[in-house]
């Protein structure tokens, strides 16, 4: 997963706001994924269990609801899963 932190108090700029994490396909599609960026902010990537209210959601749904476009530029592989979402 590659994403850019847009949290206002984050003092990083440009590419320093970009975080890259490896997540599993199973967790993204069936579980909960929360990642910590460089500014130590926690970001909800997927909640398929409804733990954070509002039922099932993922970063694609969240960005779509905000009116942001989502561009998938990654892929799933056997063994080590890789997924990238960019807006």
């Amino acid at each position: 997963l590659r994403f850019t932190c847009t949290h206002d108090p984050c003092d990083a700029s440009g590419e320093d706001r970009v975080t890259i994490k490896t997540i599993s396909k199973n967790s993204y599609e069936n579980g909960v994924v929360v990642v910590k960026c460089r500014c130590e902010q926690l970001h909800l990537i997927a909640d398929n269990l409804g733990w954070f209210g509002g039922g099932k959601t993922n970063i694609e749904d969240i960005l779509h609801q905000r009116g942001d476009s989502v561009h998938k530029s990654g892929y799933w592989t056997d063994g080590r899963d890789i997924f990238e979402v960019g807006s």
Side-chain angles (χ1 to χ4, degrees):
L1 170 73
R2 180 181 192 271
F3 71 96
T4 302
C5 176
T6 58
H7 188 244
D8 287 334
C10 182
D11 59 1
S13 62
E15 283 297 309
D16 289 338
R17 283 183 170 247
V18 174
T19 299
I20 299 172
K21 300 285 185 179
T22 301
I23 63 173
S24 76
K25 178 180 179 181
N26 186 46
S27 294
Y28 183 77
E29 293 178 345
N30 302 305
V32 175
V33 178
V34 178
V35 297
K36 187 182 288 188
C37 69
R38 294 180 187 200
C39 69
E40 301 296 311
Q41 181 70 23
L42 294 174
H43 297 270
L44 179 64
I45 303 302
D47 178 11
N48 293 292
L49 304 176
W51 286 1
F52 295 93
K56 294 173 73 169
T57 191
N58 61 44
I59 192 64
E60 296 170 80
D61 296 337
I62 294 166
L63 290 174
H64 180 73
Q65 289 170 2
R66 275 202 258 168
D68 291 332
S69 60
V70 176
H71 172 70
K72 291 184 184 181
S73 62
Y75 54 89
W76 295 111
T77 62
D78 294 328
R80 191 167 190 196
D81 294 332
I82 299 171
F83 185 61
E84 295 183 17
V85 174
S87 61

